Amino acid sequence: MNTIRRRGRLGVVLAGAAALVVTGLSAPAAAQNDIPDVDEVVHSKNIGHVANLPKEGPFEGQDAFNSDIAFTKGHAIVGNYNGFTIYDVRRPNNPRVVSQVLCPGGQGDVSVSGDLLFVSTDYARTNDSCTSEAAPASNPDSWEGMKVFDISDLANPEYVSAVRTDCGSHTHTMVPAPERGSVLLYVSSYSPAPDLPNCQPPHDKVSIVEVPTERPQDAKLVSEPVLFPEGGNPGDGYSRQTTGCHDLTAYPEKDLMAGACMGDGILVDISDRMNPKVVERVQDNTNFAFWHSATFNNEGTKVVFTDELGGGGMATCNEEVGPERGANGIYDLTGSGDDSELEFRSYYKIPRHQGETENCVAHNGSLIPVEGRDIMVQAWYQGGVSVWEFTDSDKPEEIAYFERGPLSDTENITAGSWSAYYYNGRIYSSDIQKGFDVLHIRDPRTAPANSVRFDEFNAQTQPSYGKGR
């Protein structure tokens, strides 16, 4: 965890009362308020746990959080606060470590394009090297931002270049720009302060870094578009003030981006890649504390926004917090261009309560590519992994789940699934403490996804699938 400057790293959501009628599931123990034992694995009948590789080497420690995942050429690249690990998943039931790079800086958000890997650094460091040390963010010479690696040899990644960005890079979103012979990285960061020389208020912008695909060593900051020229949500004591964005998800084929920006959910027109334009903005000051991330459905007619209630370390998957605060928000997208509108339809939260020592929140997930249905797999930290359907925006329901019991039954230790994504027939979960998990869902509703294959997959750069692909 960053002891120099903390910018609201994870997120906390809660499980609501077990009121959803879920088909195809074994009765979850927590429906009777039964919490699994420490490290006990429980799951629905239609999902199997086929592999786990524990954290190893310099990533073994409790503070070395596993974070996001990107996929390329049958390999999963798992970010970590201390760097990243590349796994060969071409035999998904028998994954293996190919390489590991020690390059501390938190939180290690990753994306991939061709032979290039991009890694976010969000904690102030003494310099941009992989041997840097933690530094006060109040030091004007401290560094944080984007790092670029050449992964043409997956067994021997090569550090190529780095670009400093204001307030660092909490997350980033890769958007291909083949017409420019480059890729663009939309960098999200937030929480400026007057005493932080490299993170000054106001910070109502994103940073765009351009990386030439043939000369990645020439990566540079090319634009800093302001998304909230008149300021974002001022905050009201429950909803967070908007001072930047936490996460952006692009749907390049549709020239759209959805942004989760602290106190605001936004829809962005990116037809002019260098000049993104906010065309719709929504707030939920009753139930959303911190807009955390976003996912489009395949048709681009819905957006699922997630909340980050509590900062990621709180036990809020319980009856006390309730079924709406901290949940996913499902919005239908109507109209187009400047006439686009986001219409709220419902909330979704896992229907299992978690223990007092379990941090639990809706976090990173992706679509399961089933044409004609809206199905998503999603990480919930110590709430585990949930597969749920929102084809009917008003009646989301869980299809499958996997979780472990608490890491500890005496203290609240940050743990659980940070990211859970579907890639080429399996679900892959990056567990903060337990390492790399592989799950196999066997359900008629998700079966069509088994035939969909992507060579490269970044959850925040959504591809299309099906007949329109």
Side-chain angles (χ1 to χ4, degrees), residues 78-118:
V78 178
N80 184 284
Y81 275 48
N82 282 349
F84 60 89
T85 301
I86 300 179
Y87 297 89
D88 185 340
V89 297
R90 287 174 294 182
R91 297 176 62 196
N93 291 4
N94 295 284
R96 65 179 182 88
V97 174
V98 174
S99 59
Q100 190 172 65
V101 172
L102 177 63
C103 196
Q107 63 182 17
D109 195 45
V110 291
S111 67
V112 64
S113 178
D115 290 332
L116 298 178
L117 172 69
F118 314 106

Side-chain angles (χ1 to χ4, degrees), residues 86-205:
I86 300 179
Y87 297 89
D88 185 340
V89 297
R90 287 174 294 182
R91 297 176 62 196
N93 291 4
N94 295 284
R96 65 179 182 88
V97 174
V98 174
S99 59
Q100 190 172 65
V101 172
L102 177 63
C103 196
Q107 63 182 17
D109 195 45
V110 291
S111 67
V112 64
S113 178
D115 290 332
L116 298 178
L117 172 69
F118 314 106
V119 183
S120 288
T121 297
D122 193 37
Y123 291 174
R125 310 292 295 180
T126 51
N127 55 58
D128 63 5
S129 74
C130 285
T131 56
S132 66
E133 298 179 352
S138 57
N139 183 341
D141 295 324
S142 65
W143 185 92
E144 49 188 336
M146 289 303 310
K147 293 172 180 170
V148 182
F149 291 81
D150 183 329
I151 55 168
S152 52
D153 182 353
L154 290 164
N156 295 285
E158 179 184 353
Y159 186 11
V160 175
S161 61
V163 179
R164 170 189 262 159
T165 57
D166 286 352
C167 301
S169 175
H170 194 67
T171 65
H172 70 273
T173 302
M174 188 279 299
V175 177
E179 72 284 354
R180 300 173 62 94
S182 65
V183 296
L184 302 176
L185 307 177
Y186 292 75
V187 176
S188 296
S189 53
Y190 55 94
S191 289
D195 63 336
L196 304 178
N198 298 318
C199 187
Q200 288 287 295
H203 186 72
D204 296 322
K205 63 184 181 181

Side-chain angles (χ1 to χ4, degrees), residues 202-277:
H203 186 72
D204 296 322
K205 63 184 181 181
V206 295
S207 301
I208 302 179
V209 172
E210 184 166 22
V211 184
T213 53
E214 297 299 321
R215 292 187 58 82
Q217 64 271 24
D218 294 338
K220 63 181 179 180
L221 180 69
V222 292
S223 182
E224 296 179 293
V226 174
L227 299 181
F228 301 95
E230 298 178 1
N233 191 332
D236 63 356
Y238 182 76
S239 289
R240 198 62 186 273
Q241 178 187 4
T242 297
T243 58
C245 290
H246 180 278
D247 214 321
L248 302 167
T249 294
Y251 201 153
E253 183 178 303
K254 296 184 180 295
D255 288 333
L256 288 176
M257 182 177 282
C261 302
M262 304 179 73
D264 292 274
I266 58 174
L267 184 71
V268 186
D269 181 337
I270 56 169
S271 54
D272 182 348
R273 297 290 197 256
M274 291 296 183
N275 296 286
K277 177 185 177 183

Side-chain angles (χ1 to χ4, degrees), residues 302-341:
K302 302 178 185 180
V303 181
V304 174
F305 289 102
T306 67
D307 189 11
E308 193 172 27
L309 173 65
M314 291 175 57
T316 59
C317 286
N318 52 47
E319 187 175 4
E320 179 183 358
V321 179
E324 294 183 345
R325 288 195 162 189
N328 293 331
I330 302 165
Y331 287 76
D332 281 356
L333 171 57
T334 61
S336 61
D338 291 345
D339 295 324
S340 298
E341 293 186 1

Side-chain angles (χ1 to χ4, degrees), residues 11-17 20 238 284 286-293 303-310 316-318 321-331 344 346-351 360-363 378-380 388 396:
V12 179
V13 132
L14 34 129
L20 283 178
Y238 182 76
D284 182 349
T286 300
N287 289 317
F288 261 52
F290 190 98
W291 296 70
H292 172 273
S293 55
V303 181
V304 174
F305 289 102
T306 67
D307 189 11
E308 193 172 27
L309 173 65
T316 59
C317 286
N318 52 47
V321 179
E324 294 183 345
R325 288 195 162 189
N328 293 331
I330 302 165
Y331 287 76
F344 173 77
S346 66
Y347 297 106
Y348 170 77
K349 191 181 301 181
I350 57 173
C360 180
V361 61
H363 210 233
Q378 189 173 10
W380 292 76
W388 60 287

